[in-house]
Amino acid sequence: KVQEEGKKETVLYHKFMCYCKTGGADLRKSIEAAQMGNADLGNKIKAAKEQLVQTKQDLKQAQTDRLAAKEAIAEAAAVREKEAAAFAKEKDELDTNIAAMEKAITALQKGSAGGFLQTASAQLLKHVLLSGASDSFAEGDRQELLSFLSNKEASESVGEIIGILKQMLIEMKQRLKEGTDAEN
């Protein structure tokens, strides 16, 4: 029994001695790796700090850019609102003028020139000619229409007046169409 215990102790002794010889080497390798890792860790920390500084700068730039974009959008929206309001005003004016032209043409074609000259449509048409809304028309045509609307023109020129009004109506409708297309 003592010999068996002696063999077991010898086996344990050799295992422990083996561990002491190799365990120390393993421990030294582990320490060296940790020390190298520490040096590398310092570089990683430095790189992380540099990246943090860069990220903060990028964030500030992004915030500045975002603010500038919001201001540009607000400015563009304000300009767009002004353009839409101007278009709405011009459209209303053109719609009114077109309606007056159509009434004038219809009345003149029916032969009721004298009755037409007494209507609000005739006065509106006169206002259109005087206000400059008809700047694209020839001055001679405009003067002839004004003369007719002032009841100074002979009734035999009604056919010519209808022709001028039709041409003005076509041009106004074209202007309205172009404006509407541009708006949409």
Side-chain angles (χ1 to χ4, degrees), residues 109-123:
Q109 286 175 335
K110 288 182 180 178
S112 57
F116 167 72
L117 293 174
Q118 304 301 319
T119 66
S121 293
Q123 297 307 314

Side-chain angles (χ1 to χ4, degrees), residues 93 97 127-137 142 172 175:
E93 188 176 305
N97 294 345
H127 174 71
V128 168
L129 293 168
L130 292 173
S131 70
S134 60
D135 286 345
S136 62
F137 308 116
R142 198 166 81 156
M172 283 186 179
R175 235 173 56 199

Side-chain angles (χ1 to χ4, degrees), residues 10 17 21 31 56 78 85 111 150 154 183:
T10 304
M17 289 307 289
K21 289 179 184 175
I31 291 171
K56 285 182 179 181
S150 299
E183 183 66 16

Side-chain angles (χ1 to χ4, degrees), residues 37-58:
N38 285 345
D40 191 34
L41 185 60
N43 290 336
K44 286 181 181 180
I45 290 172
K46 183 179 177 184
K49 284 182 180 178
E50 289 172 355
Q51 186 178 7
L52 178 62
V53 168
Q54 182 62 41
T55 302
K56 285 182 179 181
Q57 289 174 347
D58 292 346

Side-chain angles (χ1 to χ4, degrees), residues 23-157:
D26 289 343
L27 189 56
R28 275 191 295 277
K29 285 181 187 176
S30 175
I31 291 171
E32 288 173 7
Q35 286 174 342
M36 292 175 95
N38 285 345
D40 191 34
L41 185 60
N43 290 336
K44 286 181 181 180
I45 290 172
K46 183 179 177 184
K49 284 182 180 178
E50 289 172 355
Q51 186 178 7
L52 178 62
V53 168
Q54 182 62 41
T55 302
K56 285 182 179 181
Q57 289 174 347
D58 292 346
L59 176 62
K60 283 183 183 179
Q61 184 62 42
Q63 288 172 334
T64 302
D65 293 346
R66 182 174 177 232
L67 182 62
K70 281 184 176 183
E71 289 172 357
I73 288 171
E75 184 178 327
V79 168
R80 179 67 194 115
E81 286 178 20
K82 286 179 185 177
E83 289 173 351
F87 170 74
K89 181 180 176 187
E90 182 181 10
K91 182 183 181 312
D92 288 344
E93 188 176 305
L94 283 172
D95 285 341
T96 303
N97 294 345
I98 288 170
M101 292 278 185
E102 289 172 341
K103 286 179 184 178
I105 291 169
T106 302
L108 293 175
Q109 286 175 335
K110 288 182 180 178
S112 57
F116 167 72
L117 293 174
Q118 304 301 319
T119 66
S121 293
Q123 297 307 314
L124 178 61
L125 186 56
K126 189 174 183 180
H127 174 71
V128 168
L129 293 168
L130 292 173
S131 70
S134 60
D135 286 345
S136 62
F137 308 116
E139 184 61 28
D141 290 345
R142 198 166 81 156
Q143 289 303 322
E144 189 170 341
L145 280 171
L146 284 170
S147 178
F148 173 77
L149 292 170
S150 299
N151 207 9
K152 296 177 184 172
E153 192 69 32
S155 62
E156 51 268 356
S157 67

